mmCIF file of all heavy atoms in Angstrom:
data_model
loop_
_atom_site.group_PDB
_atom_site.id
_atom_site.type_symbol
_atom_site.label_atom_id
_atom_site.label_comp_id
_atom_site.label_asym_id
_atom_site.label_seq_id
_atom_site.Cartn_x
_atom_site.Cartn_y
_atom_site.Cartn_z
ATOM 1 N N GLY B 10 29.723 -6.279 -30.999
ATOM 2 C CA GLY B 10 29.621 -7.056 -29.770
ATOM 3 C C GLY B 10 30.485 -8.297 -29.818
ATOM 4 O O GLY B 10 31.220 -8.453 -30.785
ATOM 5 N N ILE B 38 23.655 -15.554 -30.475
ATOM 6 C CA ILE B 38 23.527 -15.473 -29.025
ATOM 7 C C ILE B 38 24.149 -16.716 -28.389
ATOM 8 O O ILE B 38 24.694 -17.560 -29.072
ATOM 9 C CB ILE B 38 22.058 -15.285 -28.577
ATOM 10 C CG1 ILE B 38 21.194 -16.410 -29.108
ATOM 11 C CG2 ILE B 38 21.530 -13.943 -28.984
ATOM 12 C CD1 ILE B 38 19.806 -16.411 -28.539
ATOM 13 N N GLY B 39 24.094 -16.808 -27.072
ATOM 14 C CA GLY B 39 24.635 -17.979 -26.380
ATOM 15 C C GLY B 39 25.737 -17.621 -25.403
ATOM 16 O O GLY B 39 26.249 -18.486 -24.706
ATOM 17 N N TYR B 54 10.797 -27.737 -5.875
ATOM 18 C CA TYR B 54 10.076 -26.565 -6.386
ATOM 19 C C TYR B 54 10.181 -25.347 -5.493
ATOM 20 O O TYR B 54 10.040 -24.223 -5.959
ATOM 21 C CB TYR B 54 8.611 -26.921 -6.714
ATOM 22 C CG TYR B 54 7.724 -27.175 -5.514
ATOM 23 C CD1 TYR B 54 7.068 -26.123 -4.889
ATOM 24 C CD2 TYR B 54 7.538 -28.466 -5.021
ATOM 25 C CE1 TYR B 54 6.251 -26.348 -3.800
ATOM 26 C CE2 TYR B 54 6.730 -28.694 -3.933
ATOM 27 C CZ TYR B 54 6.089 -27.631 -3.323
ATOM 28 O OH TYR B 54 5.298 -27.853 -2.245
ATOM 29 N N GLN B 56 13.015 -24.615 -3.585
ATOM 30 C CA GLN B 56 14.381 -24.094 -3.765
ATOM 31 C C GLN B 56 14.528 -23.420 -5.122
ATOM 32 O O GLN B 56 15.285 -22.455 -5.264
ATOM 33 C CB GLN B 56 15.401 -25.228 -3.674
ATOM 34 C CG GLN B 56 15.518 -25.855 -2.314
ATOM 35 C CD GLN B 56 16.316 -27.146 -2.348
ATOM 36 O OE1 GLN B 56 16.324 -27.860 -3.356
ATOM 37 N NE2 GLN B 56 16.983 -27.456 -1.259
ATOM 38 N N ALA B 77 6.128 -18.341 -9.231
ATOM 39 C CA ALA B 77 5.217 -18.619 -8.117
ATOM 40 C C ALA B 77 3.805 -18.849 -8.640
ATOM 41 O O ALA B 77 3.127 -19.805 -8.246
ATOM 42 C CB ALA B 77 5.236 -17.464 -7.129
ATOM 43 N N ILE B 98 2.179 -4.420 -6.497
ATOM 44 C CA ILE B 98 2.874 -3.169 -6.153
ATOM 45 C C ILE B 98 4.367 -3.312 -6.447
ATOM 46 O O ILE B 98 4.981 -2.464 -7.091
ATOM 47 C CB ILE B 98 2.609 -2.800 -4.676
ATOM 48 C CG1 ILE B 98 1.163 -2.341 -4.527
ATOM 49 C CG2 ILE B 98 3.559 -1.706 -4.204
ATOM 50 C CD1 ILE B 98 0.710 -2.165 -3.103
ATOM 51 N N TRP B 99 4.977 -4.437 -6.020
ATOM 52 C CA TRP B 99 6.412 -4.633 -6.290
ATOM 53 C C TRP B 99 6.672 -4.786 -7.781
ATOM 54 O O TRP B 99 7.675 -4.311 -8.297
ATOM 55 C CB TRP B 99 6.931 -5.867 -5.538
ATOM 56 C CG TRP B 99 7.380 -5.588 -4.152
ATOM 57 C CD1 TRP B 99 8.137 -4.534 -3.741
ATOM 58 C CD2 TRP B 99 7.104 -6.356 -2.982
ATOM 59 N NE1 TRP B 99 8.358 -4.612 -2.390
ATOM 60 C CE2 TRP B 99 7.737 -5.718 -1.896
ATOM 61 C CE3 TRP B 99 6.401 -7.530 -2.750
ATOM 62 C CZ2 TRP B 99 7.680 -6.208 -0.600
ATOM 63 C CZ3 TRP B 99 6.349 -8.025 -1.456
ATOM 64 C CH2 TRP B 99 6.976 -7.370 -0.385
ATOM 65 N N GLY B 118 23.286 5.951 -24.947
ATOM 66 C CA GLY B 118 23.463 5.480 -26.322
ATOM 67 C C GLY B 118 23.560 6.610 -27.323
ATOM 68 O O GLY B 118 24.341 6.534 -28.266
ATOM 69 N N LEU B 136 14.927 2.127 -5.965
ATOM 70 C CA LEU B 136 15.748 1.088 -5.334
ATOM 71 C C LEU B 136 15.742 1.243 -3.817
ATOM 72 O O LEU B 136 15.777 0.254 -3.090
ATOM 73 C CB LEU B 136 17.183 1.138 -5.865
ATOM 74 C CG LEU B 136 17.363 0.847 -7.352
ATOM 75 C CD1 LEU B 136 18.833 0.720 -7.683
ATOM 76 C CD2 LEU B 136 16.648 -0.412 -7.764
ATOM 77 N N ILE B 148 17.738 -7.875 -6.344
ATOM 78 C CA ILE B 148 17.163 -9.204 -6.167
ATOM 79 C C ILE B 148 16.580 -9.250 -4.770
ATOM 80 O O ILE B 148 17.278 -9.001 -3.794
ATOM 81 C CB ILE B 148 18.241 -10.282 -6.410
ATOM 82 C CG1 ILE B 148 18.550 -10.289 -7.901
ATOM 83 C CG2 ILE B 148 17.774 -11.642 -5.927
ATOM 84 C CD1 ILE B 148 19.516 -11.314 -8.360
ATOM 85 N N VAL B 170 3.838 6.072 -1.668
ATOM 86 C CA VAL B 170 3.083 6.925 -2.586
ATOM 87 C C VAL B 170 3.648 8.346 -2.572
ATOM 88 O O VAL B 170 3.796 8.982 -3.626
ATOM 89 C CB VAL B 170 1.580 6.911 -2.221
ATOM 90 C CG1 VAL B 170 0.830 7.981 -2.975
ATOM 91 C CG2 VAL B 170 0.994 5.547 -2.517
ATOM 92 N N GLY B 175 6.760 12.621 -5.463
ATOM 93 C CA GLY B 175 7.937 13.475 -5.628
ATOM 94 C C GLY B 175 8.701 13.115 -6.877
ATOM 95 O O GLY B 175 9.158 13.973 -7.639
ATOM 96 N N VAL B 193 17.626 15.529 -29.285
ATOM 97 C CA VAL B 193 17.273 14.147 -28.951
ATOM 98 C C VAL B 193 16.345 13.586 -30.024
ATOM 99 O O VAL B 193 16.543 12.476 -30.525
ATOM 100 C CB VAL B 193 16.616 14.073 -27.556
ATOM 101 C CG1 VAL B 193 16.055 12.685 -27.291
ATOM 102 C CG2 VAL B 193 17.620 14.435 -26.477
ATOM 103 N N GLY B 199 11.837 8.632 -36.698
ATOM 104 C CA GLY B 199 12.009 7.974 -37.996
ATOM 105 C C GLY B 199 13.137 6.960 -38.034
ATOM 106 O O GLY B 199 13.438 6.423 -39.092
ATOM 107 N N LEU B 203 9.375 -0.047 -37.412
ATOM 108 C CA LEU B 203 8.739 -1.352 -37.528
ATOM 109 C C LEU B 203 7.241 -1.058 -37.684
ATOM 110 O O LEU B 203 6.618 -0.504 -36.783
ATOM 111 C CB LEU B 203 8.984 -2.185 -36.267
ATOM 112 C CG LEU B 203 8.536 -3.633 -36.323
ATOM 113 C CD1 LEU B 203 9.526 -4.461 -37.111
ATOM 114 C CD2 LEU B 203 8.390 -4.205 -34.933
ATOM 115 N N LEU B 211 5.579 -10.583 -36.857
ATOM 116 C CA LEU B 211 6.736 -11.097 -36.114
ATOM 117 C C LEU B 211 6.421 -11.241 -34.632
ATOM 118 O O LEU B 211 7.312 -11.441 -33.825
ATOM 119 C CB LEU B 211 7.933 -10.172 -36.319
ATOM 120 C CG LEU B 211 8.393 -10.005 -37.775
ATOM 121 C CD1 LEU B 211 9.372 -8.858 -37.895
ATOM 122 C CD2 LEU B 211 9.028 -11.273 -38.290
ATOM 123 N N ILE B 227 -0.646 -8.026 -21.453
ATOM 124 C CA ILE B 227 -1.211 -9.135 -20.678
ATOM 125 C C ILE B 227 -1.872 -8.638 -19.399
ATOM 126 O O ILE B 227 -2.747 -9.284 -18.848
ATOM 127 C CB ILE B 227 -0.105 -10.167 -20.341
ATOM 128 C CG1 ILE B 227 0.501 -10.714 -21.616
ATOM 129 C CG2 ILE B 227 -0.632 -11.324 -19.526
ATOM 130 C CD1 ILE B 227 -0.493 -11.382 -22.512
ATOM 131 N N VAL B 244 -0.795 1.514 -22.952
ATOM 132 C CA VAL B 244 -0.234 2.713 -23.584
ATOM 133 C C VAL B 244 0.248 2.323 -24.975
ATOM 134 O O VAL B 244 1.028 1.381 -25.114
ATOM 135 C CB VAL B 244 0.957 3.242 -22.765
ATOM 136 C CG1 VAL B 244 1.529 4.498 -23.397
ATOM 137 C CG2 VAL B 244 0.567 3.486 -21.337
ATOM 138 N N ALA B 274 -4.624 2.429 -2.215
ATOM 139 C CA ALA B 274 -5.878 2.915 -1.638
ATOM 140 C C ALA B 274 -6.837 1.764 -1.339
ATOM 141 O O ALA B 274 -7.649 1.854 -0.422
ATOM 142 C CB ALA B 274 -6.524 3.911 -2.601
ATOM 143 N N LYS B 316 8.644 -33.761 -5.294
ATOM 144 C CA LYS B 316 8.901 -32.344 -5.058
ATOM 145 C C LYS B 316 9.671 -31.717 -6.215
ATOM 146 O O LYS B 316 9.761 -30.495 -6.322
ATOM 147 C CB LYS B 316 9.701 -32.172 -3.764
ATOM 148 C CG LYS B 316 8.824 -32.130 -2.525
ATOM 149 C CD LYS B 316 9.646 -31.794 -1.318
ATOM 150 C CE LYS B 316 8.815 -31.495 -0.093
ATOM 151 N NZ LYS B 316 7.955 -30.328 -0.233
ATOM 152 N N VAL B 346 22.744 1.921 -35.266
ATOM 153 C CA VAL B 346 22.612 0.528 -34.807
ATOM 154 C C VAL B 346 22.505 0.429 -33.280
ATOM 155 O O VAL B 346 21.570 -0.197 -32.775
ATOM 156 C CB VAL B 346 23.760 -0.342 -35.365
ATOM 157 C CG1 VAL B 346 23.787 -1.694 -34.693
ATOM 158 C CG2 VAL B 346 23.612 -0.515 -36.855
#
Side-chain angles (χ1 to χ4, degrees):
Chain B
I38 57 171
Y54 71 87
Q56 293 168 330
I98 289 171
W99 273 316
L136 296 189
I148 289 183
V170 169
V193 171
L203 188 78
L211 300 168
I227 300 301
V244 181
K316 275 187 170 297
V346 169

